[in-house]
């Protein structure tokens, strides 16, 4: 293997390359744009473009693309070649500053949720110099934001970048109050732990539900599931280990800091965790990770499943959003240090995050609301749909002492001194409380609700803007306090914040019914589904927050709300149609084929010695019964699907899909799966759960 240090970032136009290839003043201009957000002049862009082109061609690239993240949640790209044919028949490789900074994909083919009607169809992509360009498959990829000509955001990156600015502005002001004049900028840092399934590609191709919907809509559970817990951290299968090695290598080349790999709880499930990076880059890198996973899987004869719930009855896949804030001086603002009880700066930031989660529960919840994730949240494998914050017993004791206005006694009966506590907090997994949707894990928060396929721009933008708002409240409370009274004013404020927001803190088991009841009593929101959660995007509270911090306008939020609901309806519509088709064709033909074989055997027995074929009759009767039930339930699903198709109001349709279509599908599935259990594998039109989940080598 090549040395990691040699391949790492070898396909990235990163800071090293820029320093090496750009004139000093140009390098500085780009650096300032990246770190301070200053505007880049066209002459500077021209120089950068030329250097980028040269570098890319040396690496074998012939094309470039503006890579962006439209509202589909996927990434999009439009490839252009560097080639510029000349009058004399020769060809030049060209790439100008203008082509670097601005592109014009046809915006009309991407969802804009009504913005297109109000504004022009044309949109443009704008270079995001804060995320480095890279080469993939012979193409130079330039990360870009995607906006309409009037400046409305048509993508997920634009609001994320704005939210990062918002946190920075708000945090710097608060830090200044605390005497921290050295800090001029803060960045939110993010590490996305990505879960995924690998199954055999040939089996994958035989399942229309996986091909079209990403999840199995039918399928009886295998005799063995995940109950043996022998997969988690188990020994990797040799070919899977090879896959992971190649995945790491490909990611490293792209500058994605992939770090750990292990098996997850469910059979055939795995996880990749990168080392954290600046939010925007981490989000781009997570999108890349998902693409590379699929590509490498394909090469190994696997299909990589990123759906949140590919298999019923088996744990689904999530994506933990590890989140913190760090200063331009390299300090993690959520690091408690050795004496957190005295670390006012830490406590202010800690409580601001807690307050943000409490005040903006709905926003956080809706930021992870997708059709796939609805199957996961609250299903005793992932956090419930209710948001709460876990801080652990030790930090809870610190906060309690603040609330009671007493000095924190680190030598008290129940408390251990912080020096002992710290490794405990960062390392003891029992203390992690895996059931919490939002957990403090030593020096960062871990938001565990996002589903495996989600664009991480969403939860991070939600968190950023909510925290910015709470920091602004802190600033307003403290900004006019004379410096000699600041300390006691901070204590007073922390106490007030704690009193106001302690309802969101919960250190117990989030999977229990008692907690859901208790949460309701505390007034916490339990938004179970997409149609429950997404409409809060246009609630007054969220609109006020987003407009105040200049993240998204009311119109942009309305359009996003519509896009999310529309996406949900489309997904469920496809699922309903796929299930209908599979039942009609695959399931029915399997049952008939097997029934015929059984009938034939009964006939043989009759011919041989007039035998009654009792056993065969029993099978045939059971199959007939199932067929009848299936046909009845299928009719209901088809009828309701037609009803849904006739609905013009997106929210009304979403509710109908959630309440009626999904339960129709569940009803139908029960009978189909029972029929599947009666039919031998050679008669089945699609591979079973057992085959898919336990056949990896
Ligand atoms: P686990 O949660 O699985 O026990 P770790 O605690 O090692 O794993 O870290 C999980 C993730 O948290 C990693 O992706 C890591 O890079 C990320 N992480 C660590 N520190 C920070 C931070 N300050 N900001 C954001 N993410 C972080
Ligand atoms: Mg984790």
């Amino acid at each position: 293997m090549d040395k990691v240090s040699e391949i790492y970032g070898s396909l990235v136009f990163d800071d090293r390359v820029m320093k090496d290839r750009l004139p000093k003043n140009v390098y500085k201009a780009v650096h300032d744009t990246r770190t301070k957000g200053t505007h880049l002049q066209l002459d500077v862009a021209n120089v950068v473009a030329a250097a980028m082109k040269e570098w890319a061609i040396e690496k074998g690239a012939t094309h470039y693309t503006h890579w962006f993240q439209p509202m589909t949640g996927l990434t999009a790209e439009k490839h252009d070649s560097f080639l510029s044919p000349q009058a004399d028949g020769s060809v030049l490789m060209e790439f100008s500053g203008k082509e670097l900074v601005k592109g014009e994909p046809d915006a009309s083919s991407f969802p804009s949720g009504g913005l297109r009607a109000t504004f022009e169809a044309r949109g443009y992509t704008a270079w995001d110099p804060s995320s480095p360009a890279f080469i993939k498959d012979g193409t130079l990829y330039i990360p870009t934001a995607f906006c309409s000509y009037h400046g409305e955001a048509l993508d997920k990156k634009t609001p994320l970048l704005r939210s990062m600015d918002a946190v920075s502005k708000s945090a710097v002001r608060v830090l200044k109050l605390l005497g921290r004049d050295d800090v001029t900028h803060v960045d939110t840092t993010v590490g996305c732990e990505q879960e995924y399934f690998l199954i055999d590609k040939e089996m994958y191709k035989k399942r229309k539900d996986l091909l079209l919907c990403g999840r199995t809509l039918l399928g009886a559970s295998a005799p063995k599931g995940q109950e043996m817990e022998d997969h988690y951290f188990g020994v990797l299968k040799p070919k899977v280990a090879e896959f992971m090695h190649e995945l790491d290598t490909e990611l490293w080349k792209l500058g994605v800091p992939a770090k750990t790999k292990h098996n997850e709880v469910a059979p055939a499930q795995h996880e990749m965790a990168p080392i954290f990076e600046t939010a925007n880059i981490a989000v781009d890198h997570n999108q890349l990770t998902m693409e590379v996973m699929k590509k490498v899987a394909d090469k190994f004869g696997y299909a990589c499943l990123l759906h949140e719930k590919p298999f019923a009855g088996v744990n689904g896949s999530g994506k933990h959003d590890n989140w913190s804030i760090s200063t331009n001086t390299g300090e993690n603002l959520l690091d408690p240090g050795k004496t957190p009880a005295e670390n006012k700066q830490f406590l202010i930031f800690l409580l601001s995050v807690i307050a943000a989660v409490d005040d903006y529960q709905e926003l956080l919840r809706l930021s992870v609301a997708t059709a796939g994730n609805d199957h996961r949240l609250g299903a005793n494998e992932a956090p419930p749909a209710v948001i709460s914050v876990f801080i652990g017993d030790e930090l809870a004791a610190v906060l309690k002492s603040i609330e009671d206005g007493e000095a924190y006694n680190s030598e008290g009966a129940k408390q251990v001194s912080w020096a002992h506590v710290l490794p405990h907090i960062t390392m003891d997994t029992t203390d992690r409380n895996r059931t919490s949707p939002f957990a403090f894990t030593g020096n960062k928060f871990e938001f565990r609700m996002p589903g495996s396929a989600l664009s991480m721009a969403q939860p991070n933008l939600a968190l950023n803007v909510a925290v910015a708002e709470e920091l602004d409240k802190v600033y307003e409370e403290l900004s006019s306090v004379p410096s000699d009274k600041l300390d006691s004013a901070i204590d007073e404020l922390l106490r007030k914040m704690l009193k106001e927001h302690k309802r969101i803190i919960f250190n117990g088991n989030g999977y229990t019914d008692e907690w859901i009841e208790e949460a309701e009593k505390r007034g916490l929101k339990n938004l179970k589904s997409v149609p429950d959660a997404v409409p809060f995007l246009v609630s007054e509270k969220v609109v006020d927050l987003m407009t105040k911090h200049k993240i998204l306008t009311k119109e942009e939020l309305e359009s996003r709300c519509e896009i999310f609901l529309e996406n949900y309806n489309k997904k469920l519509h496809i699922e309903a149609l796929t299930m209908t088709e599979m039942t009609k064709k695959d399931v029915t033909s399997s049952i008939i084929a097997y029934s015929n074989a059984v009938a034939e055997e009964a006939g043989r027995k009759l011919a041989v010695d007039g035998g009654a074929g009792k056993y065969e009759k029993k099978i045939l009767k059971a199959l007939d019964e199932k067929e009848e039930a299936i046909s009845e339930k299928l009719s209901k699903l088809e009828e309701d699907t037609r009803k849904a198709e006739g609905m013009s109001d997106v929210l009304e349709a979403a509710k109908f899909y959630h309440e009626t279509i999904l339960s129709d599908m569940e009803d139908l599935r029960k009978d189909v799966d029972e029929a599947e259990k009666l039919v031998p594998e050679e008669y089945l039109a699609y591979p079973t759960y057992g085959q898919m989940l336990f056949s990896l080598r």
Side-chain angles (χ1 to χ4, degrees):
M1 184 197 135
D2 301 326
K3 273 216 285 267
V4 176
S5 59
E6 271 164 34
I7 59 168
Y8 192 84
S10 59
L11 297 177
V12 185
F13 193 75
D14 56 18
D15 204 61
R16 289 178 300 186
V17 183
M18 284 196 258
K19 212 173 207 162
D20 194 37
R21 294 188 174 233
L22 296 175
K24 262 211 175 82
N25 60 328
V26 173
Y27 170 78
K28 191 178 174 303
V30 178
H31 192 80
D32 286 352
T33 307
R34 288 168 56 205
T35 52
K36 295 179 200 152
T38 53
H39 190 70
L40 200 69
Q41 299 300 324
L42 192 60
D43 52 338
V44 174
N46 276 327
V47 180
V48 181
M52 233 187 226
K53 178 197 72 182
E54 211 138 283
W55 170 83
I57 290 171
E58 278 169 36
K59 299 267 178 192
T62 50
H63 288 65
Y64 69 92
T65 181
H66 275 200
W67 186 61
F68 59 105
Q69 299 169 26
M71 294 306 295
T72 54
L74 307 168
T75 57
E77 43 198 72
K78 178 179 166 241
H79 294 228
D80 279 305
S81 84
F82 293 125
L83 302 191
S84 167
Q86 304 297 298
D88 64 357
S90 66
V91 73
L92 281 181
M93 300 290 260
E94 283 182 345
F95 185 50
S96 68
K98 226 174 106 207
E99 286 165 315
L100 166 65
V101 297
K102 199 166 180 178
E104 292 189 45
D106 179 9
S108 61
S109 36
F110 296 101
S112 69
L115 281 180
R116 208 166 39 240
T118 344
F119 309 101
E120 288 185 79
R122 285 167 68 213
Y124 67 94
T125 49
W127 180 33
D128 166 19
S130 64
S131 181
F134 55 92
I135 292 171
K136 195 165 77 82
D137 306 324
T139 296
L140 169 69
Y141 279 71
I142 300 154
T144 59
F146 181 38
C147 301
S148 83
Y149 263 89
H150 294 270
E152 288 89 13
L154 296 174
D155 69 349
K156 304 208 174 190
K157 173 175 277 220
T158 307
L160 174 67
L161 290 171
R162 290 174 186 160
S163 76
M164 289 167 68
D165 284 344
V167 180
S168 183
K169 231 164 79 193
S170 304
V172 167
R173 276 205 316 183
V174 168
L175 287 167
K176 219 166 229 124
L177 275 183
L178 302 177
R180 296 294 308 273
D181 290 322
D182 54 331
V183 179
T184 55
H185 182 87
V186 310
D187 260 328
T188 41
T189 52
V190 166
C192 315
E193 296 166 78
Q194 176 75 48
E195 290 182 340
Y196 60 99
F197 278 87
L198 289 179
I199 65 163
D200 180 82
K201 193 164 70 181
E202 293 312 312
M203 292 190 197
Y204 170 80
K205 282 192 203 152
K206 289 195 186 115
R207 300 224 30 152
K208 290 182 195 122
D209 47 6
L210 284 179
L211 276 170
L212 300 177
C213 313
R215 72 172 179 116
T216 55
L217 302 170
L218 305 169
S221 330
K224 179 183 172 182
Q226 60 196 43
E227 57 278 86
M228 300 301 291
E229 296 176 339
D230 48 1
H231 185 71
Y232 192 54
F233 281 115
V235 178
L236 286 176
K237 307 241 166 44
K239 199 170 130 194
V240 174
E242 259 177 65
F243 160 85
M244 285 182 174
H245 176 71
E246 174 135 352
L247 174 65
D248 275 349
T249 308
E250 290 306 308
L251 289 173
W252 290 338
K253 284 185 198 162
L254 293 168
V256 179
K259 197 187 73 167
T260 56
K261 50 191 175 191
H262 58 77
N263 294 341
E264 268 301 321
V265 180
Q269 192 185 30
H270 309 281
E271 182 186 286
M272 193 288 281
I275 293 169
F276 67 91
E277 302 175 278
T278 305
N280 169 38
I281 299 174
V283 169
D284 282 1
H285 279 171
N286 180 253
Q287 291 288 353
L288 260 181
T289 298
M290 293 193 283
E291 285 172 30
V292 174
M293 275 179 171
K294 289 195 166 167
K295 202 174 99 184
V296 177
D298 197 60
K299 210 177 132 186
F300 277 77
Y302 295 138
C304 171
L305 308 181
L306 291 170
H307 193 281
E308 290 81 2
K309 191 74 180 175
F311 305 101
V314 174
N315 273 10
S317 301
K319 179 148 54 191
H320 292 174
D321 186 31
N322 293 275
W323 181 97
S324 191
I325 326 176
S326 85
T327 65
N328 58 309
T329 56
E331 179 185 357
N332 178 355
L333 293 168
L334 289 175
D335 189 338
K338 288 211 170 91
T339 50
E342 286 136 48
N343 188 344
K344 298 281 153 72
Q345 182 186 297
F346 162 70
L347 290 169
I348 286 177
F349 279 89
L350 178 82
L351 276 166
S352 296
V353 179
I354 292 173
V357 178
D358 184 30
D359 280 338
Y360 296 98
Q361 295 163 47
E362 302 92 338
L363 176 63
L364 284 172
R365 172 63 187 90
L366 78 87
S367 77
V368 301
T370 63
N373 217 19
D374 277 1
H375 297 288
R376 202 182 137 254
L377 297 179
N380 271 359
E381 55 172 272
V386 181
I387 302 208
S388 62
V389 181
F390 168 85
I391 52 168
D393 294 340
E394 288 78 16
L395 215 44
V398 171
L399 294 191
K400 177 106 190 19
S401 71
I402 293 170
E403 196 186 352
D404 298 345
E406 287 165 11
Y408 175 66
N409 177 7
S410 63
E411 272 142 39
K414 274 172 80 184
Q415 297 120 7
V416 209
S417 83
W418 195 263
H420 292 134
V421 169
L422 199 59
H424 180 59
I425 277 196
T426 49
M427 286 162 87
D428 184 348
T429 47
T430 57
D431 203 36
R432 289 264 163 123
N433 191 338
R434 302 252 160 218
T435 68
S436 174
F438 201 95
F440 185 71
T441 47
N443 59 3
K444 63 183 188 291
F445 276 99
E446 187 170 345
F447 186 26
R448 304 211 183 96
M449 278 182 145
S452 46
L454 192 72
S455 156
M456 294 306 270
Q458 270 169 222
N460 284 301
L461 125 70
L463 251 174
N464 288 350
V465 62
V467 170
E469 176 61 20
E470 302 300 337
L471 288 171
D472 280 2
K473 288 185 195 160
V474 168
Y475 180 82
E476 272 146 36
E477 291 273 340
L478 298 179
S479 58
S480 53
V481 175
S483 56
D484 60 320
K485 299 223 166 68
L486 191 60
D487 240 19
S488 58
I490 290 175
D491 288 344
E492 191 51 45
L493 175 62
L494 290 174
R495 200 167 312 140
K496 191 177 122 194
M497 288 171 86
L498 198 55
K499 281 216 166 96
E500 219 171 292
H501 300 292
K502 70 175 178 190
R503 65 170 186 166
I504 198 83
I505 298 174
F506 176 63
N507 290 323
N509 182 354
Y511 288 0
T512 63
D513 294 339
E514 291 82 60
W515 162 237
I516 304 302
E517 262 170 51
E518 157 84 20
E520 226 151 80
K521 276 191 214 134
R522 292 190 190 187
L524 302 181
K525 285 253 162 32
N526 186 4
L527 304 171
K528 292 196 181 105
S529 67
V530 168
D532 273 355
V534 165
F536 280 98
L537 197 53
V538 290
S539 64
E540 204 183 325
K541 191 160 84 176
V542 171
V543 172
D544 285 351
L545 174 77
M546 292 289 186
T547 47
K548 178 187 160 196
H549 292 274
K550 300 195 168 52
I551 312 295
L552 289 165
T553 62
K554 187 157 185 271
E555 290 72 27
E556 287 170 326
L557 288 164
E558 280 165 355
S559 89
R560 264 154 219 257
C561 181
E562 193 178 313
I563 290 170
F564 291 146
L565 292 172
E566 230 169 44
N567 277 350
Y568 176 80
N569 296 346
K570 279 185 195 158
K571 280 223 163 95
L572 276 135
H573 186 233
I574 294 171
E575 288 191 352
L577 294 182
T578 306
M579 190 167 194
T580 301
E581 184 176 311
M582 281 178 84
T583 309
K584 277 187 175 165
K585 295 185 180 169
D586 301 346
V587 176
T588 309
S589 66
S590 307
I591 295 178
I592 291 176
Y594 182 50
S595 298
N596 283 341
V598 177
E600 203 175 293
E601 172 61 9
R604 192 188 63 84
K605 279 188 179 167
L606 191 68
V608 171
D609 57 0
K614 253 193 186 163
Y615 180 54
E616 286 75 13
K617 269 190 192 154
K618 215 165 114 188
I619 299 175
L620 286 172
K621 190 162 170 264
L623 286 171
D624 281 353
E625 273 172 22
K626 282 297 139 208
E627 264 197 306
E628 206 139 298
I630 288 171
S631 143
E632 203 175 289
K633 288 171 183 173
L634 183 63
S635 301
K636 167 114 173 46
L637 174 62
E638 286 189 283
E639 198 183 301
D640 286 335
T641 307
R642 277 192 298 273
K643 268 190 211 157
E645 284 162 357
M647 293 180 171
S648 53
D649 183 89
V650 274
L651 181 57
E652 188 198 349
K655 284 183 179 155
F656 186 75
Y657 274 111
H658 177 67
E659 281 154 24
T660 307
I661 302 276
L662 269 181
S663 73
D664 286 353
M665 287 171 65
E666 238 164 74
D667 280 350
L668 172 59
R669 177 178 186 148
K670 261 189 216 127
D671 286 300
V672 171
D673 290 356
E674 273 166 29
E676 186 192 303
K677 283 189 180 160
L678 299 171
V679 179
E681 283 169 8
E682 64 260 41
Y683 291 93
L684 291 176
Y686 46 76
T688 63
Y689 269 34
Q691 290 168 323
M692 286 187 286
L693 290 168
F694 293 98
S695 65
L696 279 197
R697 281 175 296 126

